[in-house]
Protein backbone atom coordinates (compact mmCIF):
# COMPACT_ATOMS: atom_id res chain seq x y z
CA UNK A 1 0.00 0.00 0.00
CA UNK A 2 1.29 3.45 -0.90
CA UNK A 3 1.91 5.86 1.93
CA UNK A 4 1.82 9.55 2.73
CA UNK A 5 3.96 11.18 5.39
CA UNK A 6 2.39 14.00 7.42
CA UNK A 7 5.03 16.18 9.10
CA UNK A 8 4.18 18.80 11.70
CA UNK A 9 6.81 21.29 12.79
CA UNK A 10 7.48 23.33 15.91
CA UNK A 11 4.78 24.01 18.47
CA UNK A 12 2.17 21.93 16.69
CA UNK A 13 2.38 19.53 19.62
CA UNK A 14 0.55 22.32 21.49
CA UNK A 15 -2.55 22.18 19.28
CA UNK A 16 -5.72 22.45 21.32
CA UNK A 17 -4.11 24.62 23.98
CA UNK A 18 -2.03 27.14 22.01
CA UNK A 19 -4.10 30.10 20.84
CA UNK A 20 -7.32 28.14 20.25
CA UNK A 21 -8.91 31.24 18.71
CA UNK A 22 -6.32 30.94 15.91
CA UNK A 23 -5.64 27.20 15.72
CA UNK A 24 -8.86 25.68 17.08
CA UNK A 25 -9.48 23.21 19.87
CA UNK A 26 -8.42 20.04 18.07
CA UNK A 27 -5.27 18.40 19.44
CA UNK A 28 -2.40 16.94 17.46
CA UNK A 29 -3.81 13.49 18.26
CA UNK A 30 -7.13 14.60 16.71
CA UNK A 31 -5.29 15.81 13.58
CA UNK A 32 -3.37 12.55 13.30
CA UNK A 33 -6.58 10.52 13.63
CA UNK A 34 -8.23 12.69 10.94
CA UNK A 35 -5.25 12.08 8.63
CA UNK A 36 -5.24 8.32 9.13
CA UNK A 37 -9.02 8.15 8.58
CA UNK A 38 -8.77 10.18 5.38
CA UNK A 39 -5.95 7.98 4.16
CA UNK A 40 -7.97 4.84 4.86
CA UNK A 41 -10.88 6.23 2.80
CA UNK A 42 -8.48 6.79 -0.10
CA UNK A 43 -6.56 3.53 0.23
CA UNK A 44 -3.27 4.96 1.45
CA UNK A 45 -1.40 4.51 4.70
CA UNK A 46 -0.69 7.75 6.56
CA UNK A 47 2.21 8.14 8.95
CA UNK A 48 2.26 11.22 11.17
CA UNK A 49 5.31 12.79 12.80
CA UNK A 50 5.98 15.99 14.75
CA UNK A 51 9.21 17.63 15.82
CA UNK A 52 10.31 20.97 17.20
CA UNK A 53 13.79 20.43 15.69
CA UNK A 54 14.67 21.65 12.21
CA UNK A 55 17.35 19.03 11.55
CA UNK A 56 14.93 16.20 12.36
CA UNK A 57 12.46 17.66 9.86
CA UNK A 58 15.21 17.79 7.22
CA UNK A 59 16.06 14.14 7.91
CA UNK A 60 12.41 13.12 7.53
CA UNK A 61 12.09 14.99 4.23
CA UNK A 62 15.21 13.29 2.88
CA UNK A 63 13.89 9.92 4.05
CA UNK A 64 10.59 10.63 2.28
CA UNK A 65 12.50 11.45 -0.90
CA UNK A 66 14.09 7.99 -0.83
CA UNK A 67 10.68 6.37 -0.21
CA UNK A 68 9.13 8.33 -3.08
CA UNK A 69 11.97 7.33 -5.41
CA UNK A 70 11.42 3.69 -4.42
CA UNK A 71 7.70 4.00 -5.21
CA UNK A 72 6.55 3.35 -1.65
CA UNK A 73 5.44 6.89 -0.81
CA UNK A 74 3.18 9.28 -2.72
CA UNK A 75 4.38 12.43 -0.99
CA UNK A 76 4.43 14.62 2.09
CA UNK A 77 1.93 16.90 3.77
CA UNK A 78 3.87 19.40 5.86
CA UNK A 79 2.85 22.07 8.30
CA UNK A 80 6.29 23.60 8.92
CA UNK A 81 5.00 25.97 11.61
CA UNK A 82 7.32 28.92 12.20
CA UNK A 83 10.05 27.30 10.09
CA UNK A 84 7.90 28.30 7.09
CA UNK A 85 9.21 31.83 7.47
CA UNK A 86 12.83 31.08 8.37
CA UNK A 87 14.10 27.79 6.99
CA UNK A 88 16.12 27.72 3.82
CA UNK A 89 17.29 24.28 5.00
CA UNK A 90 13.76 22.85 4.68
CA UNK A 91 13.37 24.44 1.23
CA UNK A 92 16.67 22.90 0.13
CA UNK A 93 15.75 19.49 1.56
CA UNK A 94 12.44 19.43 -0.34
CA UNK A 95 14.12 20.41 -3.60
CA UNK A 96 17.19 18.23 -3.07
CA UNK A 97 15.20 15.11 -2.22
CA UNK A 98 12.67 15.74 -5.04
CA UNK A 99 9.74 15.46 -2.65
CA UNK A 100 6.17 16.04 -3.81
CA UNK A 101 4.98 18.16 -0.90
CA UNK A 102 1.81 20.00 0.02
CA UNK A 103 2.50 22.91 2.38
CA UNK A 104 -0.27 23.32 4.92
CA UNK A 105 -1.24 25.98 7.44
CA UNK A 106 -4.22 25.72 9.77
CA UNK A 107 -4.67 29.49 9.96
CA UNK A 108 -4.66 31.97 7.11
CA UNK A 109 -1.08 33.18 7.49
CA UNK A 110 -1.74 35.99 5.01
CA UNK A 111 -4.33 37.53 7.34
CA UNK A 112 -1.90 37.51 10.26
CA UNK A 113 1.32 39.33 11.14
CA UNK A 114 3.36 40.51 8.16
CA UNK A 115 6.35 38.31 9.06
CA UNK A 116 4.10 35.29 8.36
CA UNK A 117 3.39 36.38 4.79
CA UNK A 118 6.64 35.01 3.34
CA UNK A 119 7.26 31.29 2.98
CA UNK A 120 10.57 29.67 2.14
CA UNK A 121 8.65 26.42 1.65
CA UNK A 122 6.11 27.56 -0.96
CA UNK A 123 8.55 27.77 -3.91
CA UNK A 124 9.51 24.13 -3.30
CA UNK A 125 5.96 22.87 -2.65
CA UNK A 126 3.66 21.27 -5.21
CA UNK A 127 0.72 23.07 -3.63
CA UNK A 128 -0.37 25.07 -0.61
CA UNK A 129 -3.46 24.82 1.60
CA UNK A 130 -3.96 27.77 3.94
CA UNK A 131 -6.64 28.77 6.40
CA UNK A 132 -8.92 25.75 6.20
CA UNK A 133 -8.39 24.72 9.81
CA UNK A 134 -7.44 21.14 10.52
CA UNK A 135 -9.71 20.07 7.63
CA UNK A 136 -6.86 21.28 5.43
CA UNK A 137 -4.98 18.10 6.30
CA UNK A 138 -7.68 15.96 4.67
CA UNK A 139 -7.64 18.26 1.63
CA UNK A 140 -3.86 17.94 1.38
CA UNK A 141 -4.03 14.13 1.55
CA UNK A 142 -6.70 14.14 -1.16
CA UNK A 143 -4.52 16.40 -3.31
CA UNK A 144 -1.50 14.10 -3.01
CA UNK A 145 -3.58 11.08 -4.01
CA UNK A 146 -4.91 12.98 -7.05
CA UNK A 147 -1.43 14.17 -8.01
CA UNK A 148 0.38 10.86 -7.57
CA UNK A 149 0.54 10.04 -11.28
CA UNK A 150 1.16 13.59 -12.48
Amino acid sequence: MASILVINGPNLNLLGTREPAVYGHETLADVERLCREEGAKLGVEVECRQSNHEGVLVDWIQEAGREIAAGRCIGVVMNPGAYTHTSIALHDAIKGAAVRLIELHISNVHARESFRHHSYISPAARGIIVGMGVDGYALAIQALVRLQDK
Side-chain angles (χ1 to χ4, degrees):
M1 177 183 293
S3 68
I4 290 173
L5 178 60
V6 175
I7 299 175
N8 283 291
N11 298 309
L12 287 155
N13 56 308
L14 300 176
L15 281 176
T17 59
R18 177 185 176 218
E19 298 181 78
V22 174
Y23 300 107
H25 294 280
E26 292 91 350
T27 66
L28 184 59
D30 295 332
V31 168
E32 291 175 351
R33 185 172 33 262
L34 177 150
C35 290
R36 286 190 296 273
E37 289 172 359
E38 189 63 30
K41 288 182 205 172
L42 299 170
V44 296
E45 181 181 335
V46 175
E47 181 180 353
C48 299
R49 301 179 186 177
Q50 187 277 329
S51 180
N52 293 318
H53 304 281
E54 185 178 29
V56 172
L57 301 173
V58 168
D59 290 343
W60 289 343
I61 290 167
Q62 291 175 359
E63 176 187 330
R66 292 188 296 274
E67 291 296 304
I68 291 166
R72 293 185 291 264
C73 181
I74 295 170
V76 174
V77 173
M78 183 177 198
N79 183 339
Y83 288 138
T84 302
H85 321 292
T86 64
S87 184
I88 296 167
L90 289 175
H91 169 99
D92 288 351
I94 296 162
K95 297 288 280 187
V99 169
R100 178 185 294 119
L101 183 137
I102 303 294
E103 177 184 352
L104 172 101
H105 299 284
I106 295 169
S107 69
N108 180 353
V109 293
H110 303 290
R112 296 182 64 199
E113 304 93 340
S114 62
F115 67 84
R116 296 186 195 275
H117 298 176
H118 179 266
S119 170
Y120 283 100
I121 308 307
S122 294
R126 179 67 171 82
I128 306 159
I129 297 176
V130 176
M132 302 302 293
V134 298
D135 291 336
Y137 286 88
L139 296 171
I141 290 167
Q142 293 168 19
L144 281 175
V145 169
R146 289 181 181 199
L147 292 170
Q148 68 182 317
D149 296 323
K150 295 179 182 176

